[in-house]
Every structure is written in C-alpha cells, then in structure tokens.
Amino acid sequence: MNENIILTHEEIEHKIKRIAYQIYETFVDEESIVIAGIALNGFILAEKLAIVLNSISGLRIILCEVTVHKKDTNSVIKTSISKEEYQNKGIVLVDDVLNSGSTLMYGVKHFLEVPLKKFKTAVLVDRNHKKYPIKVDFKGISLSTSSHEYVEVVFEKNTSYARLG
C-alpha cells in the first residue's frame, strides 16, 4: 500500500497550513468567514483549516457542514447553518478530492441562492480531469490521473494520508 501513498500525514498537515494562509490572505479584510465542508471528508478538512485559521488570524470562523447526495444531485442540499448566517459573508467551500466537479458545482449552486461577499473553493487533491468547468481556488496538490484510478483521503485520529488506487 505504501507505494500508492501520494500524500503522507506530514505533507497533508503542511498543505492544510498553506491553504489556511492563502484563505487568510484572500479574506484578510473580513471580520468573519464561513468555512463550509462537504460531508464527510470535506467537513473534516474544513475543521482542520478552521483550527489553523484560528491560530494564525483574527478572523471569526463559522464552520458549516454541507450534505450533498453524490448519487442524487437533484436532492436537497442541507447545511448545518441557516442561509441568514452565511448571507453577505465570504465563503470557502471545501472538499477533500475534486473528481468530476459535480459535487462542488452543486454545492456552489446552493450557496449562490443568497448574496455573498466572496466565494472560493478549496480541495486537498485536484484530479485535473473534470467533467464540469469548476475551478479550485486553493488546492493542496494537482494530480493527473486516469479515469479508472481513484484518490482516497483518509483522516484518522493520529494520522492521515491520501492514496491512489
């Protein structure tokens, strides 16, 4: 399995820190921002970004969990906070891996139902072969893969890694 590891725990931690600094630089003039993570791994990544952002900035971070049914994208998208809580704020939509782009696109569409100050996207791994024209603003790594390969990000209590399968 080790030969398929594309990011070690230390590399993931470094990339999270770098993405957090990029987010802070982008939203430096804001008082608060929403970090919205797509359940499950996207929300874990959002939590990790929020911890770093809290340690490096004075931004008030509002965490939001976003539930998108990946098999049925026409179903209702749910967020753990109300629209009023993210209206007229800066938002970063976070997921672990950008595959086809559909999950991120439906997540973006949901948040655009209300006026926002600024909207950005962040992923740990961008796979570079998307079906949809979705652009990632902050990414840990870009990876060219074939369509039959997959990327799995594993977040465990004391270790994390990303592997190619």
Side-chain angles (χ1 to χ4, degrees):
M1 183 172 115
N2 283 348
E3 67 274 4
N4 293 334
I5 300 293
I6 55 174
L7 289 173
T8 65
H9 178 75
E10 293 77 21
E11 290 169 328
I12 288 173
E13 293 301 308
H14 176 74
K15 294 197 181 299
I16 288 170
K17 193 174 205 176
R18 184 172 52 78
I19 292 169
Y21 273 101
Q22 291 174 325
I23 290 170
Y24 178 43
E25 289 170 1
T26 301
F27 292 95
V28 70
D29 295 330
E30 298 298 322
E31 289 180 25
S32 65
I33 61 169
V34 175
I35 305 293
I38 295 175
L40 298 168
N41 273 358
F43 186 66
I44 294 170
L45 181 58
E47 290 175 315
K48 291 176 178 294
L49 286 166
I51 290 168
V52 176
L53 281 162
N54 281 325
S55 72
I56 64 171
S57 76
L59 290 170
R60 184 171 79 85
I61 306 301
I62 303 164
L63 265 173
C64 174
E65 186 170 19
V66 181
T67 304
V68 177
H69 295 282
K70 295 178 182 188
K71 301 275 190 245
D72 179 16
T73 50
N74 290 325
S75 65
V76 176
I77 294 173
K78 297 177 186 160
T79 56
S80 62
I81 63 174
S82 69
K83 289 181 179 182
E84 291 77 28
E85 291 177 86
Y86 59 79
Q87 184 171 327
N88 296 315
K89 289 205 172 25
I91 293 182
V92 180
L93 183 61
V94 180
D95 205 1
D96 60 341
V97 179
L98 178 59
N99 284 309
S100 68
S102 63
T103 303
L104 225 55
M105 185 181 318
Y106 288 109
V108 167
K109 179 182 176 280
H110 172 80
F111 283 102
L112 293 178
E113 292 175 3
V114 299
L116 303 172
K117 277 190 177 179
K118 196 181 289 187
F119 194 100
K120 299 291 180 182
T121 55
V123 298
L124 186 60
V125 181
D126 181 355
R127 288 193 53 201
N128 289 338
H129 70 273
K130 300 168 267 301
K131 288 185 202 173
Y132 300 100
I134 197 86
K135 174 183 162 289
V136 180
D137 299 294
F138 313 113
K139 58 188 159 199
I141 186 174
S142 290
L143 189 66
S144 293
T145 60
S146 69
S147 59
H148 70 276
E149 292 175 306
Y150 66 92
V151 174
E152 176 186 31
V153 177
V154 177
F155 291 113
E156 294 176 348
K157 187 170 178 94
N158 296 317
T159 189
S160 303
Y161 60 90
R163 72 181 189 93
L164 183 63

